[in-house]
Amino acid sequence: MLAAYLDAERELGRLADDADTDTLALTLIGAGHLLFAGREGVPPDADAVHKVVAGVLAGVVRESGRAARCAGGLD
């Protein structure tokens, strides 16, 4: 499901044409799991989650996608 979402973002021009959405989806799932794992009832704050997602997608987000995200389009 996450890879399909990233495919749609790529088709909208928000991700690079050569973005490997299958690998990005697995990376996001793994990183998210590790971010939440081992916590005792206290989830990470939204800034921590955003930092992980932004870090994983940093190399494939197009400038127009960054502008949309800043305007609330990708959040």
Side-chain angles (χ1 to χ4, degrees):
M1 180 170 46
L2 186 53
Y5 171 79
L6 294 172
D7 286 338
E9 290 293 325
R10 185 178 56 200
E11 289 173 21
L12 290 170
R14 296 179 182 153
L15 298 180
D17 291 336
D18 61 347
D20 182 351
T21 56
D22 290 328
T23 300
L24 288 169
L26 291 173
T27 304
L28 286 168
I29 291 166
H33 173 77
L34 291 172
L35 188 62
F36 280 80
R39 294 181 178 262
E40 306 262 340
V42 180
D45 62 27
D47 288 337
V49 175
H50 186 268
K51 183 177 179 180
V52 167
V53 172
V56 170
L57 298 179
V60 297
V61 174
R62 290 190 167 169
E63 287 303 315
S64 61
R66 284 191 180 104
R69 187 184 59 74
C70 291
L74 294 180
D75 288 328

